[in-house]
Amino acid sequence: MKTIAKRLIAVAAAGLISAGAVAEEKATSLDQLLKMVQQSKIAETKEHRQREAEFRRQKANQQALLTKAQNTRASEEARSAELEKKYQEQEVAVQQKRKQLDERMGSLKELFGHLTSTAGDLRANLQSSLVSAQYPGRTEFLDKLIGKMNSQTKLPTIDEIERLWYELQREIVEDGKVVKFTGTVIKPNGEQAEQEVVRIGNFNLVSNGKYLEMTDGNKMAELIRQPDSKYQSMAADLQTATSGFSPVGIDPTGPTGGSYLKAMINSPSIVERWHQGGPVGYIISAVGVVAMLLAIWRLIVLSGVSARVNAQLRSETPNTNNPLGRVLAVADENKGVDGETLELKMEEAVLKERPAIESGLNLLKIISMVAPLLGLLGTVVGMIVTFQAITIFGAGDPKAMAGGISGALVTTVLGLVVAIPTVLMHTIVNGRAKRILHILDEQSTGIVAENAERK
Amino acid sequence: MHALNDAWAAVNAFMASGGPVLFLIAGLTFFMWTLIFERVFYFHKSMKGDVQTAVDQWEKRSERKSWNAHQIRYALISRVSEKINSNLDMIQACVSLAPLFGLLGTVWGMINVFEVLAITGGGDAKQMASGVSMATIPTMAGMVAALSGVFANTYVTRKAERESQLLEDHLTMDH
């Protein structure tokens, strides 16, 4: 309760202060507040009385002021009527003068119409023209000329009309030229640099092998994504060429805004394409990497084994660092036994070597078969996305469907790209393994027999 | 010379309309036919020498009955047939890879078609045509490569089989 009362007091005190009351110190109790309110009321009444007295004093003056104001009004009204009359007279004169102007201009009027439309067309052209990058500020003159021809009070001078002719001519002449000039180029990272720019007619702007685009009428900016390096080097060659012919790639839609080059910015790069494949694409890529690593590892291992087996074929004594040597060592240990037993023992030894030589081959084969299947899976997933898009947006919008379809196809490509080298690697690795196994399987007993006979 | 230039231009145009996958198919086909010709030359030239050495070595033996003789015969046949059968697997793999390359080209072309669709909204059939030809030409090229390889592969495989069989028959055993 006490706190509420305190707050009330504070608020009331604040109100008093803002009203310009005399009480400046805070009231500490309700009684004191009441007293303060009373005091300020007395003060206000005093003020009102003062004001009233002042007003009465001035009352006598008011009549004089009123008559003065009435006089002023009468004189202003008279002036207004006079001006209106003058305006009407002058309007007639203006109409006469205009008529005179129309008569005197005669066929010139028609000419100005043509000039206005020509200047308007030229202004639109110059705004998108690449020549404006070399000669900025041409449109300002045209703006002024069009303004003059549309106004009632000004006429274009012969100099200006001739300059229009000159600008038209200059645009045509410059369209057919390949020229170098220095200009400010905005880099993709936002930096600006003064550099030499080559303008190929009205088709393209290139600088240091990079293709440029024109933004905001006369600013040159490097395209964020450039054409193939082949075309870039052609453009660089053109810049350094001094005479003769130099082949270069140009955008045929250049004079109308360069829509082909702009479309190129939208087309995805290889990495973006890869990302279009989505999760299935990543799985296929991972499987492919595993397959490649496995194939390379097996290839290295089998090459080593193969080399040691070849060395063994040439040497007399069995060396246990290779499969053939180990099999022959078994034969050495069992010298006294009969043929059949020896053959069985050797077969057993060969059987032991088999898994080490064949390991990983089956996995490679499975990956080479599974990769296209994964691609197919991705395709179907992409088609599902596409049909969902059709359900939502309808079949009328090919752009909405294209995303899903390209995703579907990218996974197919990835599947094939993984499968093809895996098949090749499997064939190569399998060939090596088969050769070693052949030697072990079919020749080991023969080698033993040959060794036995030679002794 | 003029005809040659024309032919070269035609090949270039074909390669350009088919896209980069055609180069892969061309490389694969070249590799496959190199292997096939290598086999054919081997069958007609050095194989006879290999077979003859094996037969001579066998005939030189005093006895052809014992366990030792059997094993040595087996090893002789294995060594020669390994030479006869080498690279056959690779040729087979190339034959089965050719249509896969064709499919790769097809899908690549389709991606291009859909990209044009995404940019132009499907109103421009002419721009899509380049993607379509990029899709169909590699398929055809892959098929042609595979078909040409199938016949050659069959011939080479049959020949190798027959020669191994003949070798086995030549190395007669005394009973």
PDB file of all heavy atoms in Angstrom, chain A residues 108-126 142-143 145-150 156 161 164 168:
ATOM      1  N   LEU A 108       8.919  22.413 -90.801  1.00  0.00           N
ATOM      2  CA  LEU A 108       9.914  22.138 -89.761  1.00  0.00           C
ATOM      3  C   LEU A 108       9.308  21.294 -88.646  1.00  0.00           C
ATOM      4  O   LEU A 108       9.955  20.453 -88.049  1.00  0.00           O
ATOM      5  CB  LEU A 108      10.418  23.458 -89.167  1.00  0.00           C
ATOM      6  CG  LEU A 108      11.694  24.038 -89.730  1.00  0.00           C
ATOM      7  CD1 LEU A 108      12.067  25.280 -88.933  1.00  0.00           C
ATOM      8  CD2 LEU A 108      12.813  23.027 -89.684  1.00  0.00           C
ATOM      9  N   LYS A 109       8.021  21.526 -88.378  1.00  0.00           N
ATOM     10  CA  LYS A 109       7.312  20.801 -87.325  1.00  0.00           C
ATOM     11  C   LYS A 109       7.406  19.289 -87.572  1.00  0.00           C
ATOM     12  O   LYS A 109       7.691  18.495 -86.672  1.00  0.00           O
ATOM     13  CB  LYS A 109       5.860  21.260 -87.356  1.00  0.00           C
ATOM     14  CG  LYS A 109       5.047  20.789 -86.198  1.00  0.00           C
ATOM     15  CD  LYS A 109       4.920  21.897 -85.171  1.00  0.00           C
ATOM     16  CE  LYS A 109       4.063  21.447 -84.014  1.00  0.00           C
ATOM     17  NZ  LYS A 109       4.341  22.250 -82.830  1.00  0.00           N
ATOM     18  N   GLU A 110       7.166  18.935 -88.825  1.00  0.00           N
ATOM     19  CA  GLU A 110       7.222  17.514 -89.201  1.00  0.00           C
ATOM     20  C   GLU A 110       8.637  16.972 -89.002  1.00  0.00           C
ATOM     21  O   GLU A 110       8.837  15.898 -88.459  1.00  0.00           O
ATOM     22  CB  GLU A 110       6.806  17.388 -90.657  1.00  0.00           C
ATOM     23  CG  GLU A 110       6.317  16.008 -91.014  1.00  0.00           C
ATOM     24  CD  GLU A 110       5.907  15.972 -92.477  1.00  0.00           C
ATOM     25  OE1 GLU A 110       5.451  17.012 -93.006  1.00  0.00           O
ATOM     26  OE2 GLU A 110       6.072  14.911 -93.086  1.00  0.00           O
ATOM     27  N   LEU A 111       9.589  17.817 -89.403  1.00  0.00           N
ATOM     28  CA  LEU A 111      10.997  17.425 -89.256  1.00  0.00           C
ATOM     29  C   LEU A 111      11.330  17.157 -87.792  1.00  0.00           C
ATOM     30  O   LEU A 111      11.971  16.161 -87.459  1.00  0.00           O
ATOM     31  CB  LEU A 111      11.892  18.544 -89.800  1.00  0.00           C
ATOM     32  CG  LEU A 111      13.383  18.349 -89.560  1.00  0.00           C
ATOM     33  CD1 LEU A 111      13.907  17.246 -90.459  1.00  0.00           C
ATOM     34  CD2 LEU A 111      14.153  19.625 -89.751  1.00  0.00           C
ATOM     35  N   PHE A 112      10.821  18.039 -86.888  1.00  0.00           N
ATOM     36  CA  PHE A 112      11.113  17.855 -85.472  1.00  0.00           C
ATOM     37  C   PHE A 112      10.526  16.550 -84.954  1.00  0.00           C
ATOM     38  O   PHE A 112      11.105  15.892 -84.108  1.00  0.00           O
ATOM     39  CB  PHE A 112      10.567  19.046 -84.661  1.00  0.00           C
ATOM     40  CG  PHE A 112      11.474  20.235 -84.700  1.00  0.00           C
ATOM     41  CD1 PHE A 112      12.573  20.239 -85.555  1.00  0.00           C
ATOM     42  CD2 PHE A 112      11.252  21.337 -83.886  1.00  0.00           C
ATOM     43  CE1 PHE A 112      13.415  21.326 -85.593  1.00  0.00           C
ATOM     44  CE2 PHE A 112      12.099  22.415 -83.924  1.00  0.00           C
ATOM     45  CZ  PHE A 112      13.174  22.427 -84.777  1.00  0.00           C
ATOM     46  N   GLY A 113       9.346  16.206 -85.501  1.00  0.00           N
ATOM     47  CA  GLY A 113       8.745  14.921 -85.115  1.00  0.00           C
ATOM     48  C   GLY A 113       9.669  13.775 -85.450  1.00  0.00           C
ATOM     49  O   GLY A 113       9.955  12.916 -84.612  1.00  0.00           O
ATOM     50  N   HIS A 114      10.198  13.806 -86.660  1.00  0.00           N
ATOM     51  CA  HIS A 114      11.122  12.743 -87.089  1.00  0.00           C
ATOM     52  C   HIS A 114      12.370  12.736 -86.222  1.00  0.00           C
ATOM     53  O   HIS A 114      12.847  11.687 -85.810  1.00  0.00           O
ATOM     54  CB  HIS A 114      11.505  12.931 -88.561  1.00  0.00           C
ATOM     55  CG  HIS A 114      10.407  12.545 -89.488  1.00  0.00           C
ATOM     56  ND1 HIS A 114       9.836  11.303 -89.467  1.00  0.00           N
ATOM     57  CD2 HIS A 114       9.766  13.255 -90.449  1.00  0.00           C
ATOM     58  CE1 HIS A 114       8.887  11.264 -90.391  1.00  0.00           C
ATOM     59  NE2 HIS A 114       8.816  12.438 -91.002  1.00  0.00           N
ATOM     60  N   LEU A 115      12.879  13.982 -85.982  1.00  0.00           N
ATOM     61  CA  LEU A 115      14.107  14.090 -85.179  1.00  0.00           C
ATOM     62  C   LEU A 115      13.879  13.505 -83.789  1.00  0.00           C
ATOM     63  O   LEU A 115      14.725  12.779 -83.267  1.00  0.00           O
ATOM     64  CB  LEU A 115      14.517  15.557 -85.055  1.00  0.00           C
ATOM     65  CG  LEU A 115      15.291  16.126 -86.232  1.00  0.00           C
ATOM     66  CD1 LEU A 115      15.586  17.598 -85.992  1.00  0.00           C
ATOM     67  CD2 LEU A 115      16.592  15.373 -86.437  1.00  0.00           C
ATOM     68  N   THR A 116      12.701  13.800 -83.198  1.00  0.00           N
ATOM     69  CA  THR A 116      12.419  13.293 -81.850  1.00  0.00           C
ATOM     70  C   THR A 116      12.414  11.775 -81.846  1.00  0.00           C
ATOM     71  O   THR A 116      13.019  11.137 -80.977  1.00  0.00           O
ATOM     72  CB  THR A 116      11.056  13.810 -81.364  1.00  0.00           C
ATOM     73  OG1 THR A 116      10.990  15.190 -81.638  1.00  0.00           O
ATOM     74  CG2 THR A 116      10.876  13.555 -79.897  1.00  0.00           C
ATOM     75  N   SER A 117      11.731  11.177 -82.838  1.00  0.00           N
ATOM     76  CA  SER A 117      11.640   9.712 -82.820  1.00  0.00           C
ATOM     77  C   SER A 117      13.011   9.093 -83.098  1.00  0.00           C
ATOM     78  O   SER A 117      13.395   8.112 -82.451  1.00  0.00           O
ATOM     79  CB  SER A 117      10.598   9.230 -83.824  1.00  0.00           C
ATOM     80  OG  SER A 117      11.083   9.373 -85.133  1.00  0.00           O
ATOM     81  N   THR A 118      13.779   9.703 -84.029  1.00  0.00           N
ATOM     82  CA  THR A 118      15.115   9.171 -84.315  1.00  0.00           C
ATOM     83  C   THR A 118      16.002   9.259 -83.079  1.00  0.00           C
ATOM     84  O   THR A 118      16.689   8.299 -82.716  1.00  0.00           O
ATOM     85  CB  THR A 118      15.770   9.963 -85.457  1.00  0.00           C
ATOM     86  OG1 THR A 118      14.868  10.016 -86.542  1.00  0.00           O
ATOM     87  CG2 THR A 118      17.056   9.310 -85.905  1.00  0.00           C
ATOM     88  N   ALA A 119      15.945  10.435 -82.424  1.00  0.00           N
ATOM     89  CA  ALA A 119      16.778  10.619 -81.235  1.00  0.00           C
ATOM     90  C   ALA A 119      16.373   9.639 -80.146  1.00  0.00           C
ATOM     91  O   ALA A 119      17.215   9.088 -79.430  1.00  0.00           O
ATOM     92  CB  ALA A 119      16.661  12.057 -80.728  1.00  0.00           C
ATOM     93  N   GLY A 120      15.050   9.382 -80.028  1.00  0.00           N
ATOM     94  CA  GLY A 120      14.577   8.423 -79.022  1.00  0.00           C
ATOM     95  C   GLY A 120      15.096   7.030 -79.305  1.00  0.00           C
ATOM     96  O   GLY A 120      15.587   6.340 -78.403  1.00  0.00           O
ATOM     97  N   ASP A 121      15.001   6.605 -80.587  1.00  0.00           N
ATOM     98  CA  ASP A 121      15.511   5.277 -80.965  1.00  0.00           C
ATOM     99  C   ASP A 121      16.999   5.173 -80.659  1.00  0.00           C
ATOM    100  O   ASP A 121      17.480   4.197 -80.105  1.00  0.00           O
ATOM    101  CB  ASP A 121      15.304   5.026 -82.465  1.00  0.00           C
ATOM    102  CG  ASP A 121      13.845   4.785 -82.775  1.00  0.00           C
ATOM    103  OD1 ASP A 121      13.079   4.631 -81.810  1.00  0.00           O
ATOM    104  OD2 ASP A 121      13.489   4.757 -83.970  1.00  0.00           O
ATOM    105  N   LEU A 122      17.722   6.227 -81.057  1.00  0.00           N
ATOM    106  CA  LEU A 122      19.176   6.211 -80.886  1.00  0.00           C
ATOM    107  C   LEU A 122      19.523   6.127 -79.398  1.00  0.00           C
ATOM    108  O   LEU A 122      20.427   5.380 -79.007  1.00  0.00           O
ATOM    109  CB  LEU A 122      19.781   7.478 -81.501  1.00  0.00           C
ATOM    110  CG  LEU A 122      21.304   7.538 -81.464  1.00  0.00           C
ATOM    111  CD1 LEU A 122      21.899   6.406 -82.269  1.00  0.00           C
ATOM    112  CD2 LEU A 122      21.815   8.871 -81.969  1.00  0.00           C
ATOM    113  N   ARG A 123      18.744   6.851 -78.579  1.00  0.00           N
ATOM    114  CA  ARG A 123      19.021   6.819 -77.144  1.00  0.00           C
ATOM    115  C   ARG A 123      18.853   5.397 -76.605  1.00  0.00           C
ATOM    116  O   ARG A 123      19.691   4.895 -75.859  1.00  0.00           O
ATOM    117  CB  ARG A 123      18.071   7.777 -76.413  1.00  0.00           C
ATOM    118  CG  ARG A 123      18.359   7.842 -74.927  1.00  0.00           C
ATOM    119  CD  ARG A 123      17.557   8.903 -74.253  1.00  0.00           C
ATOM    120  NE  ARG A 123      16.133   8.672 -74.448  1.00  0.00           N
ATOM    121  CZ  ARG A 123      15.185   9.398 -73.875  1.00  0.00           C
ATOM    122  NH1 ARG A 123      15.504  10.413 -73.106  1.00  0.00           N
ATOM    123  NH2 ARG A 123      13.920   9.148 -74.088  1.00  0.00           N
ATOM    124  N   ALA A 124      17.763   4.716 -77.048  1.00  0.00           N
ATOM    125  CA  ALA A 124      17.543   3.336 -76.600  1.00  0.00           C
ATOM    126  C   ALA A 124      18.694   2.429 -77.058  1.00  0.00           C
ATOM    127  O   ALA A 124      19.183   1.587 -76.300  1.00  0.00           O
ATOM    128  CB  ALA A 124      16.214   2.823 -77.142  1.00  0.00           C
ATOM    129  N   ASN A 125      19.129   2.635 -78.316  1.00  0.00           N
ATOM    130  CA  ASN A 125      20.241   1.827 -78.845  1.00  0.00           C
ATOM    131  C   ASN A 125      21.525   2.046 -78.061  1.00  0.00           C
ATOM    132  O   ASN A 125      22.224   1.103 -77.725  1.00  0.00           O
ATOM    133  CB  ASN A 125      20.506   2.191 -80.313  1.00  0.00           C
ATOM    134  CG  ASN A 125      19.588   1.410 -81.237  1.00  0.00           C
ATOM    135  OD1 ASN A 125      18.963   0.449 -80.808  1.00  0.00           O
ATOM    136  ND2 ASN A 125      19.514   1.847 -82.474  1.00  0.00           N
ATOM    137  N   LEU A 126      21.810   3.332 -77.839  1.00  0.00           N
ATOM    138  CA  LEU A 126      23.087   3.664 -77.194  1.00  0.00           C
ATOM    139  C   LEU A 126      23.154   3.131 -75.773  1.00  0.00           C
ATOM    140  O   LEU A 126      24.217   2.787 -75.283  1.00  0.00           O
ATOM    141  CB  LEU A 126      23.297   5.185 -77.178  1.00  0.00           C
ATOM    142  CG  LEU A 126      23.513   5.847 -78.534  1.00  0.00           C
ATOM    143  CD1 LEU A 126      23.957   7.281 -78.341  1.00  0.00           C
ATOM    144  CD2 LEU A 126      24.537   5.101 -79.351  1.00  0.00           C
ATOM    145  N   LEU A 142      21.466  13.525 -76.035  1.00  0.00           N
ATOM    146  CA  LEU A 142      20.201  13.179 -76.674  1.00  0.00           C
ATOM    147  C   LEU A 142      19.021  13.554 -75.772  1.00  0.00           C
ATOM    148  O   LEU A 142      17.995  14.042 -76.264  1.00  0.00           O
ATOM    149  CB  LEU A 142      20.162  11.678 -76.973  1.00  0.00           C
ATOM    150  CG  LEU A 142      21.071  11.254 -78.125  1.00  0.00           C
ATOM    151  CD1 LEU A 142      21.179   9.752 -78.184  1.00  0.00           C
ATOM    152  CD2 LEU A 142      20.559  11.794 -79.454  1.00  0.00           C
ATOM    153  N   ASP A 143      19.198  13.350 -74.459  1.00  0.00           N
ATOM    154  CA  ASP A 143      18.139  13.731 -73.522  1.00  0.00           C
ATOM    155  C   ASP A 143      17.825  15.220 -73.664  1.00  0.00           C
ATOM    156  O   ASP A 143      16.663  15.622 -73.728  1.00  0.00           O
ATOM    157  CB  ASP A 143      18.581  13.452 -72.080  1.00  0.00           C
ATOM    158  CG  ASP A 143      18.514  11.981 -71.748  1.00  0.00           C
ATOM    159  OD1 ASP A 143      17.788  11.261 -72.471  1.00  0.00           O
ATOM    160  OD2 ASP A 143      19.184  11.553 -70.787  1.00  0.00           O
ATOM    161  N   LEU A 145      18.449  17.171 -76.222  1.00  0.00           N
ATOM    162  CA  LEU A 145      17.880  17.466 -77.546  1.00  0.00           C
ATOM    163  C   LEU A 145      16.389  17.146 -77.568  1.00  0.00           C
ATOM    164  O   LEU A 145      15.571  17.943 -78.046  1.00  0.00           O
ATOM    165  CB  LEU A 145      18.626  16.638 -78.593  1.00  0.00           C
ATOM    166  CG  LEU A 145      18.202  16.869 -80.045  1.00  0.00           C
ATOM    167  CD1 LEU A 145      18.570  18.271 -80.486  1.00  0.00           C
ATOM    168  CD2 LEU A 145      18.831  15.850 -80.964  1.00  0.00           C
ATOM    169  N   ILE A 146      16.034  15.966 -77.029  1.00  0.00           N
ATOM    170  CA  ILE A 146      14.627  15.565 -77.021  1.00  0.00           C
ATOM    171  C   ILE A 146      13.822  16.536 -76.171  1.00  0.00           C
ATOM    172  O   ILE A 146      12.719  16.966 -76.547  1.00  0.00           O
ATOM    173  CB  ILE A 146      14.487  14.124 -76.493  1.00  0.00           C
ATOM    174  CG1 ILE A 146      15.066  13.147 -77.505  1.00  0.00           C
ATOM    175  CG2 ILE A 146      13.025  13.777 -76.242  1.00  0.00           C
ATOM    176  CD1 ILE A 146      15.245  11.751 -76.995  1.00  0.00           C
ATOM    177  N   GLY A 147      14.386  16.956 -75.037  1.00  0.00           N
ATOM    178  CA  GLY A 147      13.715  17.929 -74.171  1.00  0.00           C
ATOM    179  C   GLY A 147      13.458  19.227 -74.907  1.00  0.00           C
ATOM    180  O   GLY A 147      12.367  19.795 -74.829  1.00  0.00           O
ATOM    181  N   LYS A 148      14.443  19.685 -75.666  1.00  0.00           N
ATOM    182  CA  LYS A 148      14.305  20.944 -76.400  1.00  0.00           C
ATOM    183  C   LYS A 148      13.222  20.852 -77.459  1.00  0.00           C
ATOM    184  O   LYS A 148      12.433  21.772 -77.658  1.00  0.00           O
ATOM    185  CB  LYS A 148      15.631  21.282 -77.084  1.00  0.00           C
ATOM    186  CG  LYS A 148      16.466  22.248 -76.287  1.00  0.00           C
ATOM    187  CD  LYS A 148      17.610  22.728 -77.123  1.00  0.00           C
ATOM    188  CE  LYS A 148      18.504  23.650 -76.311  1.00  0.00           C
ATOM    189  NZ  LYS A 148      19.686  24.024 -77.074  1.00  0.00           N
ATOM    190  N   MET A 149      13.192  19.703 -78.179  1.00  0.00           N
ATOM    191  CA  MET A 149      12.233  19.589 -79.262  1.00  0.00           C
ATOM    192  C   MET A 149      10.805  19.462 -78.748  1.00  0.00           C
ATOM    193  O   MET A 149       9.857  19.806 -79.434  1.00  0.00           O
ATOM    194  CB  MET A 149      12.592  18.394 -80.152  1.00  0.00           C
ATOM    195  CG  MET A 149      13.725  18.770 -81.085  1.00  0.00           C
ATOM    196  SD  MET A 149      14.117  17.537 -82.277  1.00  0.00           S
ATOM    197  CE  MET A 149      14.791  16.288 -81.296  1.00  0.00           C
ATOM    198  N   ASN A 150      10.668  18.941 -77.506  1.00  0.00           N
ATOM    199  CA  ASN A 150       9.333  18.806 -76.949  1.00  0.00           C
ATOM    200  C   ASN A 150       8.852  20.098 -76.287  1.00  0.00           C
ATOM    201  O   ASN A 150       7.664  20.254 -76.044  1.00  0.00           O
ATOM    202  CB  ASN A 150       9.288  17.670 -75.931  1.00  0.00           C
ATOM    203  CG  ASN A 150       9.330  16.329 -76.622  1.00  0.00           C
ATOM    204  OD1 ASN A 150       9.008  16.240 -77.809  1.00  0.00           O
ATOM    205  ND2 ASN A 150       9.749  15.316 -75.910  1.00  0.00           N
ATOM    206  N   PRO A 156      15.877  23.532 -81.123  1.00  0.00           N
ATOM    207  CA  PRO A 156      17.247  22.986 -81.238  1.00  0.00           C
ATOM    208  C   PRO A 156      18.029  23.769 -82.272  1.00  0.00           C
ATOM    209  O   PRO A 156      17.479  24.207 -83.289  1.00  0.00           O
ATOM    210  CB  PRO A 156      17.023  21.553 -81.686  1.00  0.00           C
ATOM    211  CG  PRO A 156      15.678  21.512 -82.287  1.00  0.00           C
ATOM    212  CD  PRO A 156      14.876  22.586 -81.636  1.00  0.00           C
ATOM    213  N   ILE A 161      21.364  19.527 -84.173  1.00  0.00           N
ATOM    214  CA  ILE A 161      20.807  18.584 -85.148  1.00  0.00           C
ATOM    215  C   ILE A 161      21.936  17.876 -85.882  1.00  0.00           C
ATOM    216  O   ILE A 161      21.907  16.663 -86.120  1.00  0.00           O
ATOM    217  CB  ILE A 161      19.870  19.313 -86.129  1.00  0.00           C
ATOM    218  CG1 ILE A 161      18.647  19.815 -85.367  1.00  0.00           C
ATOM    219  CG2 ILE A 161      19.434  18.383 -87.248  1.00  0.00           C
ATOM    220  CD1 ILE A 161      17.785  20.746 -86.172  1.00  0.00           C
ATOM    221  N   LEU A 164      23.392  15.155 -83.804  1.00  0.00           N
ATOM    222  CA  LEU A 164      22.578  13.928 -83.832  1.00  0.00           C
ATOM    223  C   LEU A 164      23.003  13.059 -85.013  1.00  0.00           C
ATOM    224  O   LEU A 164      23.211  11.843 -84.888  1.00  0.00           O
ATOM    225  CB  LEU A 164      21.095  14.296 -83.941  1.00  0.00           C
ATOM    226  CG  LEU A 164      20.140  13.111 -84.108  1.00  0.00           C
ATOM    227  CD1 LEU A 164      20.122  12.256 -82.863  1.00  0.00           C
ATOM    228  CD2 LEU A 164      18.739  13.591 -84.432  1.00  0.00           C
ATOM    229  N   LEU A 168      24.712   9.311 -84.876  1.00  0.00           N
ATOM    230  CA  LEU A 168      24.191   8.170 -85.642  1.00  0.00           C
ATOM    231  C   LEU A 168      25.305   7.540 -86.461  1.00  0.00           C
ATOM    232  O   LEU A 168      25.523   6.316 -86.449  1.00  0.00           O
ATOM    233  CB  LEU A 168      23.081   8.641 -86.582  1.00  0.00           C
ATOM    234  CG  LEU A 168      21.657   8.598 -86.035  1.00  0.00           C
ATOM    235  CD1 LEU A 168      20.736   9.323 -86.998  1.00  0.00           C
ATOM    236  CD2 LEU A 168      21.197   7.164 -85.847  1.00  0.00           C
TER     237      LEU A 168
END
